[in-house]
Amino acid sequence: GAGVSQSPSNKVTEKGKDVELRCDPISGHTALYWYRQRLGQGLEFLIYFQGNSAPDKSGLPSDRFSAERTGESVSTLTIQRTQQEDSAVYLCASRRAVTTYEQYFGPGTRLTVT
Amino acid sequence: GNSVTQMEGPVTLSEEAFLTINCTYTATGYPSLFWYVQYPGEGLQLLLKATKADDKGSNKGFEATYRKETTSFHLEKGSVQVSDSAVYFCALILNTDKLIFGTGTRLQVFP
């Protein structure tokens, strides 16, 4: 596709369950980011992948959060033992190369933990 | 640390009114500055950017000037339309790394 895609678009889960969110970046984009947008707040950086370099995990809020990316393709964000405060929209973005600034965002996954 | 502060919303305007959404930043180094827009039900889109002091970013009638002396990047539009109703995010980036966002400002334009 032409843009960044994310799935599922909506996810409702019970507290304590694990969830997996998927991001398909734009083909050829070397950088991939995950952000979180909680209700009424700005976007928080979670994790950043750049090519084959070690990811920047400095934004992950706890060890319940993890993410993987294979090469320059799909990424998955996993949240284990979900808590109600994890409820948010999770946004993925990709960027073409290190020398460019623009990040292209997907539509997000709205996660609701009940 | 690095941060972005923008005015709280919602900003409510009548069509054809003048818009200003204030944004100031704190950064170690020389950031690039951005405005992103999120229309209802859609993903974030880059609206405009400026990569160095005194640059003016512009798009779709919106403008913002990178003011290093006041560490500001205020968004302006001379005549808003109903279709401009959205949430606007100011953001900065350093060293082509992760974006740091403000909390967003909701704009509501009524006919």
Side-chain angles (χ1 to χ4, degrees):
Chain A
V4 177
S5 60
Q6 292 185 245
S7 61
S9 55
N10 280 285
K11 176 72 176 179
V12 180
T13 190
E14 292 180 352
K15 178 181 173 181
K17 295 285 180 68
D18 297 352
V19 295
E20 194 171 274
L21 312 180
R22 177 186 169 107
C23 171
D24 285 87
I26 295 172
S27 178
H29 280 202
T30 60
L32 186 146
Y33 301 78
W34 283 98
Y35 295 88
R36 177 171 71 174
Q37 185 178 18
R38 288 192 278 195
L39 188 64
Q41 300 184 25
L43 280 78
E44 304 170 70
F45 164 78
L46 296 178
I47 189 168
Y48 161 45
F49 296 89
Q50 173 58 55
N52 294 320
S53 302
D56 177 352
K57 304 179 181 180
S58 60
L60 294 178
S62 78
D63 59 8
R64 297 187 296 103
F65 287 73
S66 63
E68 293 183 350
R69 186 185 189 198
T70 305
E72 295 181 357
S73 61
V74 170
S75 175
T76 55
L77 176 69
T78 302
I79 309 173
Q80 296 178 309
R81 305 181 302 282
T82 52
Q83 304 294 312
Q84 287 185 332
E85 62 263 27
D86 299 335
S87 297
V89 176
Y90 289 82
L91 290 165
C92 176
S94 69
R95 176 164 59 84
R96 184 164 54 87
V98 173
T99 55
T100 62
Y101 294 99
E102 184 166 359
Q103 296 182 22
Y104 295 83
F105 284 80
T109 294
R110 181 175 298 278
L111 174 65
T112 304
V113 182
T114 60
Chain B
N2 304 311
S3 65
V4 174
T5 303
Q6 59 183 109
M7 61 191 292
E8 290 191 23
V11 173
T12 304
L13 295 173
S14 297
E15 208 165 23
E16 299 183 3
F18 184 87
L19 168 71
T20 300
I21 300 178
N22 290 337
C23 171
T24 57
Y25 67 90
T26 301
T28 53
Y30 300 98
S32 293
L33 302 174
F34 303 83
W35 278 99
Y36 278 81
V37 59
Q38 189 173 32
Y39 296 104
E42 298 184 19
L44 274 173
Q45 302 172 28
L46 178 64
L47 179 61
L48 54 84
K49 68 181 180 188
T51 58
K52 62 183 187 298
D54 299 325
D55 270 2
K56 178 186 283 188
S58 61
N59 187 25
K60 299 182 180 180
F62 290 89
E63 293 183 339
T65 301
Y66 189 144
R67 301 286 188 200
K68 187 180 172 191
E69 63 276 13
T70 54
T71 62
S72 65
F73 193 55
H74 304 322
L75 182 68
E76 296 183 336
K77 187 174 186 183
S79 176
V80 292
Q81 306 299 311
V82 172
S83 57
D84 293 326
S85 298
V87 181
Y88 292 81
F89 292 90
C90 187
L92 68 82
I93 201 166
L94 284 162
N95 304 320
T96 66
D97 208 305
K98 51 189 176 283
L99 282 162
I100 297 169
F101 287 89
T103 53
T105 302
R106 181 175 299 278
L107 170 65
Q108 298 174 325
V109 181
F110 293 96

